[in-house]
Amino acid sequence: VTDVVHTREITCSGVATFAGSISVGGTITHEDVTNVDSVGIVTGGLGLRATAGGLQNTAGIATLMSNVDLNLIGANAGVTSCLWDSSENRLEFVDGAKAAFGTGNDLEIYHDGSNSYIGNLTGDLIFQHGAENLLQLKDDGAVQIYYDNAEKLATTTAGVVVSGVATATSFDGDS
């Protein structure tokens, strides 16, 4: 038999072997499968889809992967750049791997093995606690330090400006 067209359900209790291709216009439902090779989209029972464009999850990662670690592989094949450590409840980056924020990756945080870096590519870098400013690093400008949300020290092109009382235990320098 070269071509078979069947328009109703087929049930097989044994092994079905096909030497050629099988085309299915609907859905194939399967259980206890070890490996599935597919061209196109494979949809898993809990919303996990493997496509030519990558892995898509439509049902929530917590549902699919609770209490497991997740390794994210970077530019070096087989090397974990980032790890979600479920037992520690934290996201861990290896040296040189960057956490980037903003549409244009305007803010980066990383460690190179010796030093830690916070890189800001646009605007000012502002440290706050709640709604209060603690420290502002102005783009091509002043560094401002605050106490109780009031600016107390700022750098200028001429030096520094202190708002309030400046106290020192000793002073050495030009008068």
Side-chain angles (χ1 to χ4, degrees):
V1 177
T2 57
D3 289 336
V4 174
V5 176
H6 190 71
T7 59
R8 295 188 180 165
E9 185 176 310
I10 296 174
T11 302
C12 177
S13 60
V15 175
T17 303
F18 302 91
S21 298
I22 299 173
S23 295
V24 177
T27 301
I28 297 175
T29 303
H30 51 82
E31 295 179 11
D32 298 327
V33 177
T34 304
N35 296 298
V36 175
D37 292 326
S38 173
V39 176
I41 298 174
V42 174
T43 302
L46 292 176
L48 188 63
R49 301 175 66 201
T51 68
L55 190 62
Q56 299 173 353
N57 177 27
T58 59
I61 288 179
T63 301
L64 297 173
M65 301 181 343
S66 60
N67 299 319
V68 297
D69 292 345
L70 176 64
N71 289 307
L72 303 175
I73 308 301
N76 299 327
V79 176
T80 299
S81 293
C82 183
L83 165 71
W84 171 255
D85 186 335
S86 62
S87 64
E88 295 289 330
N89 199 31
R90 68 180 176 201
L91 191 59
E92 301 171 354
F93 295 84
V94 298
D95 290 341
K98 297 178 180 180
F101 302 90
T103 303
N105 296 325
D106 302 321
L107 176 67
E108 295 181 339
I109 301 173
Y110 67 99
H111 182 75
D112 69 4
S114 300
N115 300 297
S116 298
Y117 298 87
I118 299 174
N120 182 38
L121 301 178
T122 59
D124 300 339
L125 183 58
I126 301 170
F127 293 82
Q128 292 184 323
H129 182 266
E132 290 190 6
N133 289 335
L134 302 174
L135 175 69
Q136 287 191 32
L137 309 173
K138 299 288 188 174
D139 187 23
D140 291 327
V143 172
Q144 298 167 307
I145 300 174
Y146 293 79
Y147 177 82
D148 197 21
N149 209 32
E151 183 182 309
K152 295 299 177 182
L153 184 106
T155 61
T156 67
T157 56
V160 296
V161 174
V162 176
S163 299
V165 177
T167 304
T169 56
S170 67
F171 180 78
D172 185 14
D174 296 336
S175 54

